[in-house]
Structures are given as C-alpha cells and as structure tokens.
C-alpha cells in the first residue's frame, strides 16, 4: 500500500523567508500527488497537484512543488512566506489505478510564521 | 459556484447514540468521499460513492456506513457511537473518480 511521509511535524519560518516542506511517497507506479492546506477549524484546500508531465508544478498562493522520482519526493516551496500562510500542510497521494483506498495523507506539517 | 456543504458543522452526542452527517457536493460532481480526521490518526479514508454506488471503502468497522442519493448528495451514519469516534468528518467531492478533490469545512463530532 502506498504511504506518505512528512518528516517535519512543525516548522517555524520568519515572515518573508523562503519555505520548503518535505514529502516522500512510497509507491511503485507513477503516483498522483497533492498538497493541501488546512487553516484552523477549516476543511482542506488544494494548493497544487501533479499527475504527469512537467515535474515542477505551480499552485495557488505562490506555492510550487517539484516531483523527483529518483528521490520519491514532492516537496512544497514558497520563495517568501506571509503571516497568512500559517496553517497545517498535508501531502497526499493516490494511485493512478483509481484511488481504491482513497487519498493517503501524510501526518501533516504545522507551519508557524514568526514576525 | 457553491462549494461542498456539510451539515451540521458541530454536534455533541453520547456513547451508544447514532449520528447522521450530510454532504452536498459541488454541482456536477458525481463522486463523494468521506474522511475522518483525528489528532492521533490524522486523515483517514472512510468511503467513496460514485453515482449512488459505494466504490471504495477504508478500514473502518461496519458501524460506519454511508449512502449517496440520485442528486449526488451523500450522508454518512455512525451507529453505537464510541468515545474514539470524536473527530472532524470531512466530505470531498470530485467530478470523476480519482480526480481532484474539493473538501467541505467538515462536521466536528464530539462523543461524551
């Protein structure tokens, strides 16, 4: 079964600094990969997705992610964070065979923004 | 275009009771999935419905069930509630199976 690992439970970044959130997946075939963001008390909002093609994908709110098959990674990046980016970030995947097990989520990374 | 709507947003039940949660997907979306979110287990897939048929099911006991109506609206039911069922239940819809998911704000269930 596929799995997703987000190694960092918490990350603290100063406002205006760059950000990289790590995500590693475990799956043999080409996975569908997603990054979602969740603000307190809210549902999940899709930031970006990778299905195939260009390995650098652009998302909303200035986020981007790069798919690296050799490293089984799909790290999320932002060049300059804003205080409003403070939230929980989830990496997720399901297999291209139809998502028989639904989306598999990582445990999440809690992003704290320092003024 | 209205987003995914879940009702109720908050509810409190006692052990042994049952609960029904409702989800209205985005117009035109035929797939509805349900997820449970807890601090300990994170986000876990419950089940997915597509055109009124349960297509996939996660690893949850039979107390958790759901259905989808002809208008794509979905309900999930949890019977004989346990303390461990306290969670945020998230519904998501997509235009097709294995497509991009759009989540609602969730129904927060507290079991006392």
């Amino acid at each position: 079964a596929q799995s997703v690992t987000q190694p960092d439970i918490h990350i603290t970044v100063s406002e205006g600094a760059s950000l990289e959130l790590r995500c590693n997946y475990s799956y043999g075939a080409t996975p569908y990969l997603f990054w979602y963001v969740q603000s307190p008390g809210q549902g999940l909002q899709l930031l970006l997705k990778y299905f195939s093609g260009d390995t650098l994908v652009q998302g909303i709110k200035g986020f981007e992610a790069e798919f690296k098959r050799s490293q089984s990674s799909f790290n999320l990046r932002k060049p300059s964070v804003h205080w409003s980016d403070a939230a929980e970030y989830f990496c997720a995947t399901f297999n291209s065979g139809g998502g028989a097990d639904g989306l598999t989520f990582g445990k999440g990374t809690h992003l704290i923004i320092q003024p | 275009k209205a987003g995914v709507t879940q009702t109720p947003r908050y509810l409190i039940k006692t052990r042994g009771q049952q609960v029904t949660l409702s989800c209205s997907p985005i117009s035109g979306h035929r797939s509805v999935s349900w997820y449970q979110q807890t601090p300990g287990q994170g986000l876990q897939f419950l089940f997915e419905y597509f055109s009124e048929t349960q297509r996939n099911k996660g690893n949850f006991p039979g107390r958790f069930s759901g259905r989808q109506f002809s208008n794509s609206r979905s309900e999930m039911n949890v019977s004989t509630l346990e303390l461990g069922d306290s969670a945020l239940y998230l519904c998501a819809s997509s235009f097709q199976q294995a497509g991009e998911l759009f989540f609602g704000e969730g129904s927060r269930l507290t079991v006392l």
Side-chain angles (χ1 to χ4, degrees):
Chain A
Q2 62 258 35
S3 65
V4 175
T5 302
Q6 293 180 248
D8 305 304
I9 299 174
H10 301 277
I11 281 191
T12 301
V13 177
S14 297
E15 190 169 14
S18 64
L19 169 71
E20 182 170 27
L21 301 182
R22 297 183 291 165
C23 172
N24 293 97
Y25 67 90
S26 170
Y27 186 67
T30 299
Y32 289 178
L33 293 161
F34 306 83
W35 273 100
Y36 283 88
V37 61
Q38 185 178 35
S39 297
Q42 302 296 311
L44 280 74
Q45 181 182 23
L46 180 68
L47 288 174
L48 46 79
K49 62 183 183 288
Y50 173 77
F51 283 8
S52 64
D54 192 348
T55 57
L56 184 63
V57 293
Q58 301 297 319
I60 62 171
K61 303 184 180 186
F63 286 93
E64 66 178 26
E66 187 171 12
F67 171 64
K68 293 185 177 180
R69 184 187 300 278
S70 61
Q71 299 176 18
S72 297
S73 70
F74 188 58
N75 294 349
L76 181 71
R77 301 193 295 248
K78 187 171 185 178
S80 176
V81 298
H82 185 262
W83 64 266
S84 59
D85 293 325
E88 193 82 16
Y89 291 79
F90 294 94
C91 183
T93 184
F94 61 58
N95 67 67
S96 56
D101 297 319
L103 274 175
T104 298
F105 285 89
K107 293 296 188 184
T109 297
H110 184 60
L111 176 62
I112 300 166
I113 306 295
Q114 281 185 332
Chain B
K1 202 177 207 181
V4 177
T5 304
Q6 292 188 244
T7 57
R9 289 291 313 278
Y10 303 91
L11 65 166
I12 300 174
K13 294 286 187 178
T14 57
R15 278 181 299 174
Q17 288 187 310
Q18 73 167 13
V19 66
T20 299
L21 309 178
S22 180
C23 172
S24 293
I26 292 173
S27 177
H29 285 192
R30 297 164 63 190
S31 173
V32 174
S33 304
W34 289 88
Y35 289 81
Q36 182 196 64
Q37 185 177 25
T38 61
Q41 298 299 316
L43 284 151
Q44 294 183 285
F45 171 70
L46 279 158
F47 27 66
E48 182 210 2
Y49 287 86
F50 185 82
S51 295
E52 301 181 66
T53 301
Q54 186 182 89
R55 297 293 287 265
N56 302 297
K57 191 176 191 304
N59 188 26
F60 278 82
R63 300 185 297 108
F64 292 80
S65 62
R67 58 178 175 169
Q68 186 180 34
F69 302 96
S70 58
N71 62 358
S72 293
R73 190 177 70 84
S74 177
E75 290 180 346
M76 68 162 283
N77 184 78
V78 187
S79 63
T80 318
L81 284 166
E82 301 177 358
L83 295 179
D85 296 332
S86 295
L88 180 67
Y89 290 88
L90 292 164
C91 169
S93 74
S94 65
F95 178 70
Q96 59 189 19
Q97 191 184 20
E100 176 180 335
L101 297 186
F102 295 83
F103 283 83
E105 293 188 321
S107 293
R108 183 164 296 280
L109 170 65
T110 301
V111 182
L112 302 176

